[in-house]
Amino acid sequence: MAQIRIENVRKDFGAFTAVQSSTFTIEDGEFFMLLGPSGCGKTTTLRMMAGLELPTSGDIYIDGEEVGQKPASQRDIAFVFQLFALYPHMKVGKNISYPLLSQGMPKAQVKKKVGEIAEILGITDILNKPVGGLSGGDRQRVALGRAIVRDPKAFFMDEPLGALDAEFREHMSEELRALHDRMNATTVYVTHDQLEAMQMGDKIVVMNHGVVEQFGVPQDIYDWPATKFVAQFIGSPPMNFLDFNGMVGTGSAEVYLNDVAVTVPEVREGTNGGITFGIRPEHVRLDDGAPYRGRVIATEYLGTTQIVTLATANGPVKVRLSSADRINVGDQTGLQFDARTITLFNSETGKALKSEANMEVLFNG
Ligand code: ATP
């Protein structure tokens, strides 16, 4: 079991900075997601924690011990790559026992350990089968077995389900999470899939261009994004952004969208530059009597809900409604915003303005 902390960690490849000064802590037993688009520095961050890449500067601690310059072999972690890296000519039991036998553990002890792991993974009945003929799911379980058999301090996984089709991926992600809950080992998991990160993670770090944009529990990141990037990257459809050139003064609880006053969470810092008004599609209501107006330009049926797109004076707004609501393209209507769920951003920096609502999550009160 392990707590892992990275402090001001940076990685340069020649003149290119892949990871800019990053700081965050992964608590013992957490299922921790490194999330971001391709090339944002997730894998490099994971490899530095694992000791497969050395940081250019900064410190990495495992259980309080600084390990930044130590090789992987001295960190006692298990790196699970895409899960099919097995020895195809060996039987399942041999694949799982291999790391222990090569460490010189006595055979009887190895047998007992492999039996326990097989029980946890539900693969006792295939221990004597060759890996070659197994289904994808069983291969994943065997690969996991080989990783967990050593009782490492932590598991590192880099897009382990990336190669799977959607249905199987969903199934395996549930299994991985359930396995983690049984074993409670610290797990660091790289993904570019925001839904996977939200479903599986206890905590998430969102990265972009080598920068940590936000770090926290999934719900806080969804409800109170620290930046426009996070608001857009998390959620499908993403948060709506309405740009307007208004002033927001300290203590202000109202902004003007195209001359219509809209109540917002009281901001603690003013700005006289451009402001972006952010609201998630499920927090907009359509109300004929509301003064802020829009025209329906598209509807997208999703089963129990539908996504309705309206053109407004400040740009398009997507609204999530029940599919039972009768909405037609061309309808003119008013939009009502739930004040508690609005985030205001500084348009220039993309950062969320401090407000009464988001202070606790983003700025520690
Ligand atoms: P992906 O999901 O595509 O792997 P990622 O977020 O994991 O993306 P990294 O693999 O960490 O991103 O790469 C971050 C950046 O660093 C990329 O621009 C990549 O090209 C660059 N990079 C990674 N490894 C090296 C290397 N050994 N030498 C030079 N540049 C590298």
Side-chain angles (χ1 to χ4, degrees):
M1 303 300 111
Q3 185 212 55
I4 303 166
R5 175 163 175 79
I6 74 167
E7 222 168 83
N8 302 318
V9 165
R10 173 190 176 101
K11 179 67 185 179
D12 296 333
F13 292 111
F16 176 73
T17 303
V19 177
Q20 314 231 11
S21 181
S22 296
T23 298
F24 55 83
T25 304
I26 301 166
E27 296 298 346
D28 184 23
E30 263 176 2
F31 201 114
F32 190 92
M33 314 303 277
L34 284 172
L35 172 68
S38 182
C40 73
K42 312 177 289 290
T43 297
T44 305
T45 304
L46 188 74
R47 287 172 60 82
M48 286 193 286
M49 287 191 234
L52 299 171
E53 203 80 71
L54 297 181
T56 306
S57 58
D59 297 320
I60 298 172
Y61 298 90
I62 298 184
D63 280 339
E65 183 197 353
E66 213 285 304
V67 295
Q69 301 300 316
K70 276 193 177 175
S73 56
Q74 289 176 29
R75 296 196 191 184
D76 196 12
I77 49 98
F79 209 113
V80 186
F81 294 93
Q82 293 215 331
L83 289 181
F84 293 104
L86 298 168
Y87 304 115
H89 56 284
M90 289 184 192
K91 291 186 173 160
V92 167
K94 198 71 191 284
N95 260 283
I96 297 177
S97 62
Y98 194 78
L100 300 182
L101 291 171
S102 55
Q103 277 173 8
M105 186 185 272
K107 276 196 174 157
Q109 213 176 321
V110 171
K111 197 168 175 213
K112 184 165 174 278
K113 187 82 195 164
V114 171
E116 285 166 13
I117 296 293
E119 188 78 35
I120 290 175
L121 291 165
I123 53 172
T124 309
D125 54 328
I126 57 165
L127 279 177
N128 284 318
K129 287 198 175 160
V131 159
L134 297 182
S135 69
D138 281 341
R139 281 178 185 225
Q140 300 262 27
R141 288 179 199 104
V142 178
L144 270 176
R146 206 174 60 195
I148 65 186
V149 77
R150 283 197 295 112
D151 280 335
K153 281 188 170 174
F155 296 107
F156 289 179
M157 304 190 188
D158 193 350
E159 306 254 10
L161 310 179
L164 307 178
D165 64 50
E167 196 181 334
F168 188 42
R169 196 182 161 108
E170 171 106 19
H171 174 69
M172 282 313 293
S173 67
E174 279 168 19
E175 265 196 37
L176 268 182
R177 178 69 226 203
L179 178 66
H180 173 267
D181 291 345
R182 277 203 299 278
M183 299 189 41
N184 235 359
T186 309
T187 303
V188 190
Y189 187 110
V190 163
T191 181
H192 64 272
D193 181 336
Q194 54 100 16
L195 210 54
E196 190 170 80
M198 301 285 280
Q199 283 170 345
M200 294 174 82
D202 294 316
K203 287 219 189 95
I204 302 176
V205 148
V206 186
M207 294 184 70
N208 185 32
H209 293 308
V211 173
V212 169
E213 297 262 336
Q214 192 167 1
F215 159 58
V217 299
Q219 189 162 0
D220 283 349
I221 287 179
Y222 184 83
D223 289 343
W224 301 116
T227 61
K228 279 178 76 177
F229 173 81
V230 173
Q232 200 156 32
F233 194 72
I234 307 264
S236 177
M239 185 177 268
N240 292 298
F241 295 134
L242 301 174
D243 280 315
F244 63 102
N245 284 314
M247 293 258 294
V248 179
T250 305
S252 175
E254 209 168 59
V255 298
Y256 284 85
L257 279 183
N258 200 37
D259 294 335
V260 176
V262 176
T263 307
V264 295
E266 198 169 303
V267 292
R268 287 213 184 165
E269 55 175 356
T271 165
N272 38 26
I275 298 156
T276 303
F277 172 101
I279 188 144
R280 294 227 175 257
E282 61 274 26
H283 295 141
V284 185
R285 279 192 309 112
L286 298 189
D287 174 355
D288 252 347
Y292 188 73
R293 309 297 295 174
R295 182 173 52 85
V296 176
I297 55 171
T299 63
E300 190 188 344
Y301 176 69
L302 296 177
T304 49
T305 63
Q306 59 181 326
I307 303 298
V308 176
T309 309
L310 295 104
T312 77
N314 301 76
V317 175
K318 286 188 185 288
V319 185
R320 187 187 293 278
L321 300 173
S322 159
S323 289
D325 294 345
R326 290 274 147 249
I327 308 286
N328 297 307
V329 170
D331 286 353
Q332 307 264 357
T333 183
L335 287 78
Q336 215 35 292
F337 306 106
D338 179 348
R340 288 163 308 153
T341 58
I342 293 165
T343 307
L344 296 178
F345 300 93
N346 180 322
S347 310
E348 234 162 79
T349 63
K351 290 201 168 140
L353 297 183
K354 290 179 187 176
S355 76
E356 290 303 327
N358 68 15
M359 279 304 276
E360 207 177 303
V361 168
L362 298 187
F363 309 99
N364 299 322

